[in-house]
C-alpha cells in the first residue's frame, strides 16, 4: 500500500474548525490486524485518530469495507472484509468513538448508497470535513 512519505499538508488548529465532521475510512481489522490485505503499519495512525476524535468530540462517520462472500472486487483483490467477519470490524480502540457507520462494497466510498444519502441530507450541517484513516487516497 502507498504511504505519504512527506508532510506536504497544512496544519490546522482546532480553534479554526467550524462545524466539523470526521470521516474515518477503513480503520478495520482486515486492513490493520488480520487478513490478506492487512498492513500493521497502518496501525501507526490509530492513536492519532483516537486523539483526533477525543479532542474534537464532533460528529463522525466510520466508512468500512464490507463485502458479501461473492463480489466483483474479489476479481481484483483477494477476498477481504466479508460481511460478518472479524476483518470487517472497526478496530477495538476506535469502537467507543463510533457515531455513524457507512458500509461500502467497493473500493470507492462514493459508490456506497448510504454515503450518497449522507452527502445529500446531512452534509449541509458541516463546514469543515476531515478525512482520515486507511487508503484515503484510494477509497475516497
Amino acid at each position: 500500500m502507498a504511504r505519504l512519505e512527506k508532510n506536504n499538508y497544512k496544519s490546522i488548529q482546532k480553534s479554526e474548525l467550524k462545524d466539523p465532521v470526521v470521516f474515518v475510512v477503513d480503520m478495520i481489522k482486515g486492513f490493520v490486524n488480520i487478513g490478506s490485505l492487512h498492513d500493521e503499519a497502518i496501525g501507526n495512525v490509530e492513536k492519532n485518530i483516537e486523539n483526533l476524535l477525543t479532542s474534537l468530540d464532533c460528529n463522525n462517520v466510520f466508512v468500512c469495507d464490507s463485502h458479501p462472500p461473492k463480489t466483483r472486487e474479489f476479481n481484483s483483490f483477494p477476498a477481504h472484509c466479508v460481511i460478518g467477519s472479524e476483518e470487517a470490524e472497526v478496530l477495538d480502540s476506535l469502537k467507543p468513538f463510533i457515531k455513524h457507520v457507512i458500509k461500502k462494497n467497493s473500493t470507492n466510498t462514493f459508490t456506497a448508497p448510504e454515503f450518497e444519502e449522507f452527502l445529500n441530507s446531512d452534509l449541509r450541517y458541516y463546514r469543515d470535513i476531515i478525512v482520515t484513516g486507511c487508503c484515503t487516497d484510494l477509497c475516497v
Side-chain angles (χ1 to χ4, degrees), residues 5 13 16 24-25 30-31 43 46 56 58 60 68-69 71-72 76 82 84 86-87 90 98 110 117 129 136 139:
E5 296 297 331
Q13 300 300 312
E16 296 177 76
V24 181
V25 180
F31 291 139
E46 187 175 347
L56 289 182
C58 64
N60 67 60
T71 185
R72 280 189 282 179
S76 300
V82 173
E86 185 178 3
E87 286 186 32
V90 171
I98 296 172
F110 285 93
E117 288 174 29
I129 299 169
T136 53
C139 298

Side-chain angles (χ1 to χ4, degrees), residues 16-70:
E16 296 177 76
L17 294 172
K18 178 161 175 46
D19 303 323
V21 61
V22 177
F23 289 95
V24 181
V25 180
D26 285 335
M27 289 303 291
I28 55 180
K29 294 178 182 180
F31 291 139
V32 180
N33 304 116
I34 57 175
S36 59
L37 294 181
H38 89 282
D39 181 348
E40 292 176 5
I42 296 166
N44 294 334
V45 299
E46 187 175 347
K47 189 65 175 171
N48 292 333
I49 293 171
E50 186 177 331
N51 291 339
L52 173 71
L53 295 172
T54 299
S55 69
L56 289 182
D57 190 31
C58 64
N59 194 19
N60 67 60
V61 179
F62 279 71
V63 180
C64 304
D65 238 30
S66 185
H67 303 287
K70 293 181 180 181

Side-chain angles (χ1 to χ4, degrees), residues 66-120:
S66 185
H67 303 287
K70 293 181 180 181
T71 185
R72 280 189 282 179
E73 187 167 312
F74 296 167
N75 294 333
S76 300
F77 297 97
H80 62 282
C81 305
V82 173
I83 295 169
S85 72
E86 185 178 3
E87 286 186 32
E89 293 179 18
V90 171
L91 299 175
D92 291 337
S93 67
L94 298 178
K95 282 181 181 178
F97 299 98
I98 296 172
K99 294 189 179 173
H100 301 282
V101 174
I102 292 176
K103 295 183 178 189
K104 62 184 179 72
N105 179 27
S106 172
T107 306
N108 190 328
T109 301
F110 285 93
T111 64
E114 290 177 80
F115 187 73
E116 185 176 341
E117 288 174 29
F118 180 87
L119 292 177
N120 289 331

